[in-house]
Amino acid sequence: FSKPRLLSTCLSPPSWASSRSLAPVSLAQKKLSSAELNELASKTNFHKREIKKWHEIFHKEYPSGEMDMETFIKENMYVHGGDADLWQYLFKVLDNDESGKVDFGEFICALAVGTKGSVDEKLKWAFHIYDIDNNGYIEEKEMEKLLGGILKMAARSVDNGELDVTEEEVKQKSKQIFERMDTDGDGHLTLEEFILGCKEDQKLVSAMNAF
């Protein structure tokens, strides 16, 4: 695993419900204790040998046991495009304890549902990302902000990055998706509306889970 691939893997859509209930543990060291290994196994549904392997990979790429925001932003912009503000926001989503670093515990809990979780768990993760102000709803402006990042990264991956996405195109696409999901027309999406809307259109599942 190269660093950019490792970072991308970390951004697979997980559920933070597990990590938020995880008792604080010191996971910057090079070897996990038996207690930490047991706790991570119970919270993530990874087998202990899988956790050990990921821990080895993580420490090989980040010898300090943590990845910092500057590295995260730089490497993801290089691989995926987008802008610094977008990746800074996504880093803060991963940095559950707001320490300014993402340690192995945060990384593996983020990875868990992305590789092991159900569709509902993945969509709950996506909802959490789109709910930028963390008020329990997704507003159209929030969807527009993050969907714009998705579309720009997608454009970068085709035609050698020559395909441009205008702000108007982002606004129109976001409005179309938002109105389809907002079944009661109250101007914001609940978790239930979001999950139902995604499930009714498989393409939306892929779009919403792009991070």
Side-chain angles (χ1 to χ4, degrees):
F1 284 81
S2 63
K3 285 187 179 180
R5 184 177 174 188
L6 184 62
L7 290 169
S8 302
T9 304
C10 188
L11 284 171
S12 297
S15 165
W16 281 102
S18 296
S19 65
R20 282 174 175 162
S21 61
L22 186 64
V25 289
S26 176
L27 294 174
Q29 72 273 18
K30 292 185 178 180
K31 186 175 181 180
L32 294 172
S33 69
S34 295
E36 289 166 345
L37 189 58
N38 289 336
E39 186 172 12
L40 288 174
S42 68
K43 296 295 184 182
T44 64
N45 293 320
F46 275 120
H47 191 279
K48 290 179 183 179
R49 65 174 175 270
E50 293 177 296
I51 295 173
K52 287 180 179 179
K53 183 62 178 177
W54 277 112
H55 191 257
E56 179 184 338
I57 292 169
F58 188 88
H59 272 272
K60 182 178 180 181
E61 300 297 343
Y62 303 97
S64 68
E66 299 170 318
M67 49 180 162
D68 62 80
M69 183 185 291
E70 183 179 355
T71 300
F72 180 88
I73 293 172
K74 181 179 179 180
E75 293 181 352
N76 275 289
M77 286 184 67
Y78 176 77
V79 175
H80 304 292
D83 57 45
D85 287 344
L86 173 67
W87 290 112
Q88 181 177 352
Y89 168 67
L90 292 172
F91 180 89
K92 289 179 179 179
V93 172
L94 294 174
D95 180 20
N96 195 49
D97 63 2
E98 300 180 352
S99 66
K101 308 278 187 180
V102 172
D103 66 18
F104 179 72
E106 290 166 325
F107 168 83
I108 198 69
C109 286
L111 178 64
V113 178
T115 56
K116 302 278 189 177
S118 66
V119 172
D120 279 4
E121 288 172 318
K122 292 177 181 182
L123 289 175
K124 285 178 182 177
W125 155 252
F127 182 88
H128 173 65
I129 288 183
Y130 279 80
D131 179 17
I132 295 174
D133 61 9
N134 200 32
N135 69 350
Y137 300 98
I138 298 175
E139 280 79 30
E140 189 172 343
K141 286 186 177 180
E142 291 175 319
M143 180 173 287
E144 183 180 321
K145 181 179 178 65
L146 288 179
L147 192 60
I150 294 174
L151 294 175
K152 288 174 183 177
M153 285 188 285
R156 184 180 185 273
S157 68
V158 299
D159 294 336
N160 294 319
E162 296 177 3
L163 179 63
D164 192 22
V165 179
T166 67
E167 293 300 322
E168 185 60 29
E169 288 173 324
V170 169
K171 188 172 293 187
Q172 288 178 359
K173 186 64 175 176
S174 177
K175 183 178 182 65
Q176 179 186 17
I177 293 174
F178 190 89
E179 289 181 349
R180 188 187 311 174
M181 289 184 171
D182 186 18
T183 54
D184 60 8
D186 64 356
H188 59 248
L189 303 180
T190 64
L191 175 62
E192 292 73 20
E193 285 177 319
F194 180 80
I195 291 177
L196 182 61
C198 286
K199 284 184 173 180
E200 289 178 347
D201 187 339
Q202 192 58 40
K203 290 182 180 180
L204 283 182
V205 175
S206 298
M208 294 301 105
N209 280 335
F211 295 115

